[in-house]
Amino acid sequence: LPNSKLEAPIVIPGDTSSPDTIEWGVAKIRAPDVWTTYGVTGVGAVAANVDTGVQYDHPALVGHYRGNLGGGVFDHNYNWYDPTGVSPNVPADDNGHGTHTMGTMIGDDGGVNQIGVAPGAKWIAAYGCCPSNDALLEAQQFMIAPTDLAGNNPDPSKRPDVLNQSWGGPGGSEIFEGVIAALRASGVFPSFSAGNSGSTCGTLGSPGDNPSAFNVGATTSTDTIASFSSRGPSPFSGQTGPNVSAPGNGVRSSYPTNTYSSLSGTSMAAPHVAGAVALLISLEPKLRGRVAELEELLRKTAVPLTSTQTCGGVPGT
């Protein structure tokens, strides 16, 4: 497999980046119902991404960063890791993609920019996407047992509850299967983008198509599958895919520097699921670490949708 890469998002033409207060994707998956009905916003849960980094002082993100000790004091140890040396001491984003996906998970500036599914959760991050597969693997290891900035003194008690990974490569490769299985075994929920190679069948990307990954396709605001969204069957099991789909078309979220942007892609869909996992753990802490049960909850409560397409002999009806 060539080095994995970002699932490049699609920029929305004419985007003004004006807020909807609660963004449409957050509302579509009914996160606000959880906030108001149960009084739960993600408090007590920790979400993470392995991506292009995060602008940690973005107004919608800085208050939710686990390394923010208050009063302008930050401790990045165990909360940020960069195996490449691009920004080894503080979280930074040299692309924008990671800041965007993080915003969809937990972002909220306390005002009109309610962009995140679980704004009460904390976040940590690792730079890994995508100079090399080695960097990606090191970033996974950090999530299983976070370390200080130098990569020393691992502490598994500081691992996140859910890890979003909006990147991939050609389907059918299992080079990341071992580390994804290790994430699951350690209790970290692995949310992956399905890929942007639709609309034909059999286009799921790796490692989202791996048996231990939970991969997410993209839907539009009218609850149709996005044309670009990759779909199954899985090359390993032959089962339908992706596991679920979530809002991924025209998703507005945080972007460097201190701005907002609307992007489309399964990269934007997967963090909606990661944020939902953070909400579930916040609502019922006994679900922490019980990855299979969380997956089953997501599958059983997803809204059934149909299409006219047949993939792998399974009709879209």
Side-chain angles (χ1 to χ4, degrees), residues 23-196:
E23 292 301 325
W24 78 265
V26 176
K28 176 65 74 174
I29 69 167
R30 299 180 64 186
D33 290 355
V34 178
W35 307 341
T36 57
T37 302
Y38 301 103
V40 167
T41 60
V43 173
V46 178
N49 69 9
V50 169
D51 211 304
T52 64
V54 178
Q55 185 206 334
Y56 79 96
D57 56 355
H58 190 288
L61 304 179
V62 65
H64 314 277
Y65 176 42
R66 192 173 71 179
N68 186 346
L69 306 183
V73 178
F74 294 88
D75 184 356
H76 302 300
N77 289 293
Y78 299 96
N79 301 312
W80 167 248
Y81 182 60
D82 175 8
T84 71
V86 170
S87 182
N89 297 318
V90 297
D93 186 351
D94 61 1
N95 177 280
H97 192 273
T99 299
H100 198 278
T101 60
M102 186 62 77
T104 298
M105 283 193 279
I106 55 83
D108 183 355
D109 68 352
V112 297
N113 291 291
Q114 297 182 49
I115 57 176
V117 174
K122 297 295 185 182
W123 67 268
I124 65 174
Y127 180 89
C129 197
C130 296
S132 69
N133 288 339
D134 287 342
L136 284 164
L137 285 165
E138 285 192 55
Q140 313 297 308
Q141 292 165 354
F142 170 82
M143 292 299 172
I144 293 170
T147 66
D148 59 24
L149 292 172
N152 300 320
N153 304 309
D155 186 349
S157 71
K158 292 182 170 62
R159 64 171 63 114
D161 297 305
V162 57
L163 175 60
N164 187 75
Q165 311 213 62
S166 291
W167 51 268
S173 170
E174 287 191 282
I175 64 170
F176 287 97
E177 169 62 13
V179 74
I180 301 169
L183 283 164
R184 290 177 65 96
S186 70
V188 179
F189 187 102
S191 179
F192 279 88
S193 57
N196 298 337

Side-chain angles (χ1 to χ4, degrees), residues 118-285:
K122 297 295 185 182
W123 67 268
I124 65 174
Y127 180 89
C129 197
C130 296
S132 69
N133 288 339
D134 287 342
L136 284 164
L137 285 165
E138 285 192 55
Q140 313 297 308
Q141 292 165 354
F142 170 82
M143 292 299 172
I144 293 170
T147 66
D148 59 24
L149 292 172
N152 300 320
N153 304 309
D155 186 349
S157 71
K158 292 182 170 62
R159 64 171 63 114
D161 297 305
V162 57
L163 175 60
N164 187 75
Q165 311 213 62
S166 291
W167 51 268
S173 170
E174 287 191 282
I175 64 170
F176 287 97
E177 169 62 13
V179 74
I180 301 169
L183 283 164
R184 290 177 65 96
S186 70
V188 179
F189 187 102
S191 179
F192 279 88
S193 57
N196 298 337
S197 299
S199 58
T200 56
C201 304
T203 50
L204 295 174
S206 293
D209 63 357
N210 284 194
S212 293
F214 190 87
N215 68 339
V216 184
T219 54
T220 70
S221 60
T222 57
D223 283 337
T224 58
I225 190 72
S227 60
F228 56 77
S229 186
S230 294
R231 52 212 72 187
S234 165
F236 301 109
S237 65
Q239 293 180 331
T240 57
N243 296 110
V244 296
S245 294
N249 191 67
V251 174
R252 181 180 177 275
S253 187
S254 43
Y255 206 77
T257 303
N258 301 335
T259 59
Y260 298 85
S261 182
S262 290
L263 301 175
S264 293
T266 58
S267 285
M268 286 65 249
H272 282 87
V273 168
V277 170
L279 278 185
L280 283 166
I281 290 170
S282 179
L283 176 63
E284 180 45 84

Side-chain angles (χ1 to χ4, degrees), residues 296-303:
E296 191 67 4
L297 279 170
L298 291 169
R299 280 192 290 260
K300 284 190 172 181
T301 58
V303 176

Side-chain angles (χ1 to χ4, degrees), residues 201 232 307-317:
C201 304
S307 78
T308 59
Q309 188 175 28
T310 295
C311 283
V314 179
T317 53

